[in-house]
Amino acid sequence: MDLITSAVVAAIGHGAPGHASEAVAGHYQRLKLAVAKFDSAAAILAAIAALEAAPDHPQLQLALSAALSSAKVSDDMETLFAAQSLLEALQRPLPQLPAVETAPAPPDKSAVVSNYAVVKVYFATDRQHDVGKPPGQRFSGERSMTGGNGGGDGPLSYGRCDISIPRDHRMGQLESPSLWRLEFRDDPAKHVVLLTAEVQNRDNFFAALKTRIRASAGQSAFVFVHGYNVSFEDAARRTGQMAYDLGFDGAAVFYSWPSRGDLAGYTIDENNIEWSTPHITNFLAEFLASTEAAQVYLVGHSMGSRGLARAVAVLLAAQPPLAQKITELILSAPDIDAGVFKHDIAPKLATARNPVTLYASSQDLALAASKAVHGYPRAGDSGAGMQIVAGVETIDATGVDTSFMKHAYFAEQRSALSDMFSLIRQQARADQRFLDPVDTPAGRYWTFKP
């Protein structure tokens, strides 16, 4: 039985829709709303209604599975996440009633339903900072030349941010104000907004991270390193959106290097990621040593993959026990010279705890521009330049990208996010996910199922 059908059958068995607990009923309704957007929603909802009338009927269970399969619902991360959340709600023990009558407690503000959710993310950055400016302008595109707030003479600043996610958020989208909709300012009810950016000293930062990681079910964390043409504000917003869409239970962290956040700033960004790579390496070493995280997922995008991949390679060579704490290294659209990656970087990553996951595309316009600048293919190219290397699970993401620049497909397209969901939440390797193998003389790579 597939995950979604299992969740529906289990919820009905616990009294859904009319006689379940409030929490289960809410998650059950959310799952039904998630499938309602599909073209064949009427058939799926009819199959669910039939099961509600006869939940133990095996043919009705098969009919629901068939309807879900026909509509390819299992490829949709939002529905998978809704089903997983429903199953988790079903596993929680019912609250115990008090033995004696007590006075009503004051309302819990965290339980108040609002028109947006708030996701807390943590950051380290070697950008120049100005604490007197608004959150979105607190860190510039310049290098930190006067020292960060981490103590000593180091360039790093640490802190945490609150990110708003609207309740009608679409999976994979980074909702922003639009002049076409006559929207002239950020609205947390409609947009993904950086609400706060609080600077912390090093000790408080790592103490807060350790507490957050310990509180998560899997004692987990992910660290995101953004790419070219990304401001601090957009890196924070993207991290919050990814954590929300992936249903990530642990600590969400991003490292923000001094990208200019300007399309014309490619060569400056290229110099700055090289300048930042030793700082990324040191931060990762300190993060792995200080937080006691059991599951650590590293995600690099575009030019940020250069710094992240090299940092991991250095740690694997210099501090193998520490580097083995890294659960997954995910490189999406990596803007790295293909030859350098294959012969210099990838062999150094071969001793990693798990294979590296690399998402590539033959329609990535930013990588095509990078290739034109450098004269050689990039590691994130697919097609004839596909990187098939020992210790790397390469996934061709061509065709699943919907972003304007065809370069942010790792976070803009449900199929890629759904694959990352399976990789992170279920720790499933490529041959266990919704991917098709493609065998070539050079070896095997993977594509998304049509």
Side-chain angles (χ1 to χ4, degrees):
M1 194 183 301
D2 63 88
L3 176 67
I4 300 168
T5 302
S6 297
V8 170
V9 171
I12 294 172
H14 282 71
H19 303 287
S21 68
E22 183 177 350
V24 169
H27 283 288
Y28 184 69
Q29 181 62 21
R30 191 170 298 123
L31 175 58
K32 292 170 76 172
L33 289 174
V35 301
K37 65 178 179 288
F38 290 90
D39 292 339
S40 54
I44 298 172
L45 294 174
I48 293 175
L51 266 176
E52 290 172 353
D56 296 326
H57 201 302
Q59 289 185 340
L60 294 179
Q61 295 175 9
L62 290 174
L64 175 57
S65 291
L68 293 168
S69 177
S70 177
K72 298 183 179 177
V73 178
S74 60
D75 288 342
D76 179 56
M77 200 281 296
E78 178 182 9
T79 311
L80 288 173
F81 180 43
Q84 183 69 36
S85 298
L86 174 55
L87 288 172
E88 290 173 357
L90 289 166
Q91 294 170 1
R92 297 187 194 114
L94 292 174
Q96 298 295 315
L97 294 175
V100 295
E101 185 176 355
T102 59
D108 180 1
K109 292 183 179 180
S110 66
V112 175
V113 177
S114 66
N115 50 8
Y116 63 91
V118 176
V119 177
K120 188 176 295 295
V121 301
Y122 300 83
F123 69 84
T125 182
D126 51 6
R127 294 174 182 264
Q128 186 66 32
H129 79 278
D130 183 343
V131 294
K133 289 189 175 182
Q137 303 169 26
R138 192 150 294 168
F139 294 93
S140 73
E142 297 293 336
R143 300 176 180 180
S144 175
M145 303 305 292
T146 57
N149 69 313
D153 297 324
L156 292 189
S157 296
Y158 305 95
R160 61 187 182 187
C161 303
D162 284 339
I163 311 296
S164 68
I165 308 290
R167 291 297 181 188
D168 62 351
H169 165 70
R170 294 181 60 189
M171 308 304 292
Q173 297 300 308
L174 200 63
E175 289 90 351
S176 303
S178 169
L179 293 177
W180 295 105
R181 296 190 297 268
L182 300 180
E183 297 172 342
F184 303 103
R185 64 183 65 183
D186 289 329
D187 181 351
K190 298 179 180 179
H191 311 128
V192 178
V193 181
L194 172 58
L195 300 174
T196 64
E198 175 188 349
V199 176
Q200 300 175 296
N201 66 45
R202 175 200 170 280
D203 291 341
N204 288 344
F205 170 79
F206 280 107
L209 261 184
K210 184 181 294 187
T211 300
R212 178 68 188 88
I213 291 170
R214 282 178 175 174
S216 66
Q219 298 188 17
S220 57
F222 81 72
V223 180
F224 170 55
V225 182
H226 63 78
Y228 143 72
N229 185 28
V230 175
S231 65
F232 175 88
E233 179 179 14
D234 284 344
R237 294 170 63 230
R238 180 64 79 190
T239 306
Q241 172 252 312
M242 288 173 63
Y244 184 86
D245 285 356
L246 290 170
F248 193 74
D249 179 46
V253 186
F254 68 99
Y255 187 100
S256 188
W257 53 278
S259 165
R260 284 296 174 91
D262 185 347
L263 281 173
Y266 184 90
T267 55
I268 297 174
D269 279 12
E270 196 168 39
N271 284 328
N272 282 347
I273 189 60
E274 295 298 327
W275 176 81
S276 292
T277 296
H279 309 152
I280 297 172
T281 306
N282 292 336
F283 170 72
L284 286 180
E286 193 166 23
F287 176 87
L288 293 168
S290 301
T291 61
E292 302 174 0
Q295 306 291 333
V296 179
Y297 304 91
L298 306 181
V299 182
H301 179 229
S302 179
M303 196 179 284
S305 293
R306 294 192 202 179
L308 182 59
R310 289 189 180 279
V312 173
V314 169
L315 289 177
L316 283 167
Q319 304 184 63
L322 198 62
Q324 287 302 319
K325 293 184 177 183
I326 300 170
T327 309
E328 298 285 350
L329 173 59
I330 302 170
L331 305 177
S332 186
D335 185 2
I336 306 172
D337 182 281
V340 171
F341 179 79
K342 183 173 184 178
H343 300 292
D344 181 28
I345 297 176
K348 295 176 182 177
L349 302 177
T351 58
R353 178 169 161 185
N354 284 311
V356 176
T357 296
L358 189 156
Y359 292 98
S361 176
S362 62
Q363 297 177 340
D364 191 296
L365 300 184
L367 288 183
S370 177
K371 181 179 178 180
V373 169
H374 296 98
Y376 294 96
R378 318 312 291 165
D381 293 336
S382 63
M386 181 79 72
Q387 290 291 293
I388 302 176
V389 187
V392 178
E393 292 184 339
T394 302
I395 301 165
D396 187 354
T398 302
V400 302
D401 175 23
T402 59
S403 68
F404 177 72
M405 283 296 290
K406 294 190 179 294
H407 188 55
Y409 51 79
F410 79 104
E412 296 283 2
Q413 167 54 251
R414 290 178 182 170
S415 293
L417 268 178
S418 178
D419 189 62
M420 287 179 63
F421 178 92
S422 299
L423 175 63
I424 292 174
R425 288 291 293 270
Q426 300 169 7
Q427 298 184 7
R429 300 259 49 96
D431 60 354
Q432 300 169 316
R433 307 200 298 270
F434 297 104
L435 301 169
D436 284 330
V438 179
D439 291 312
T440 72
R444 171 174 288 186
Y445 67 93
W446 304 84
T447 62
F448 290 97
K449 288 183 181 291

